[in-house]
Amino acid sequence: MERRFFDLCIDVYVPGRWYFKTPIHLDGQPLDNPWVFTRGTPVPDPGPLRIPLSRPGNPLDFTSTGVGVTPVLSTRAAEVFRALAPNDVQLFPVQVEGQNEPYFLLVAARTVRCIDEVATEEVQFWRPEDGQPEKVGEYRDIGGLRIDKGKVVDERVFRPWGWRPALIVDGELKDALEQTGIVGGKFIEV
């Protein structure tokens, strides 16, 4: 049976969902680079962090931070990633404003060059006239993402090369998360 893959993203339609600001150090100092957690590579332990709320709401199992859109997981969701994809992820404990129980920043520590540009509904590239010469030729926008599954080897969680907003999980991980009753995330098949 062919493996299936899904983009795990926040479900903005969860009633009363909370929204996070960018993580900060416990002393209130901002992170040097809040985007480091979405590079698709392992990162050094950032040390103790806390996440302020930008809008209070119901605690969720899956959400993401403000700038950098780093995934944040409840303990039960983090345990699924820890059990099924230990070589693909890093989990860093964080304090979420107003919560006593632990939450975890999720870092997809692997990147796969697998975007199927033909099957993807819309692919836009940075062009010289866009005024950002360092990005020319890179993906600017992608809609209706599709991946070439033949380029995925043993990865269960990864970022597709060139498109950091996508967090790809395999079907077994998706099923396990759904069985825990995960709230706050949605899966879009890619």
Side-chain angles (χ1 to χ4, degrees):
M1 186 167 134
E2 184 178 60
R3 290 175 74 193
R4 295 173 67 198
F5 294 92
F6 300 83
D7 185 1
L8 173 55
C9 47
I10 69 166
D11 183 351
V12 296
Y13 296 107
V14 171
R17 85 165 290 123
W18 61 5
Y19 286 90
F20 291 167
K21 292 182 180 176
T22 301
I24 56 176
H25 295 286
L26 292 184
D27 64 5
Q29 292 300 308
L31 298 175
D32 292 335
N33 180 359
W35 297 275
V36 69
F37 304 116
T38 59
R39 285 191 315 215
T41 60
V43 299
D45 186 334
L49 299 175
R50 68 182 172 90
I51 302 176
L53 298 176
S54 66
R55 187 170 89 194
N58 299 324
L60 302 172
D61 297 300
F62 181 86
T63 197
S64 60
T65 63
V67 171
V69 294
T70 304
V72 179
L73 306 174
S74 67
T75 298
R76 71 182 180 157
E79 286 304 321
V80 173
F81 281 91
R82 188 174 282 123
L84 296 181
N87 299 321
D88 297 346
V89 300
Q90 292 176 290
L91 294 160
F92 297 112
V94 292
Q95 296 175 1
V96 173
E97 179 184 338
Q99 299 299 305
N100 292 323
E101 60 275 358
Y103 281 80
F104 297 86
L105 282 183
L106 172 74
V107 173
R110 298 176 83 176
T111 298
V112 178
R113 193 171 194 136
C114 63
I115 294 175
D116 185 334
E117 295 175 6
V118 174
T120 295
E121 291 174 23
E122 181 181 3
V123 178
Q124 293 179 14
F125 296 95
W126 287 94
R127 302 168 305 179
E129 57 269 26
D130 294 325
Q132 296 200 30
E134 72 283 1
K135 293 184 177 184
V136 170
E138 295 177 10
Y139 297 118
R140 180 176 181 162
D141 194 23
I142 290 181
L145 174 65
R146 294 292 176 263
I147 66 169
D148 179 344
K149 298 172 188 173
K151 294 185 177 177
V152 181
V153 182
D154 62 349
E155 297 88 357
R156 300 189 85 171
V157 179
F158 60 90
R159 299 273 182 189
W161 181 90
W163 192 241
R164 290 165 64 164
L167 174 66
I168 308 301
V169 301
D170 75 0
E172 281 187 53
L173 193 77
K174 171 194 174 281
D175 292 346
L177 288 166
E178 288 178 335
Q179 287 170 7
T180 69
I182 183 176
V183 177
K186 68 177 181 177
F187 300 93
I188 301 169
E189 191 156 9
V190 294

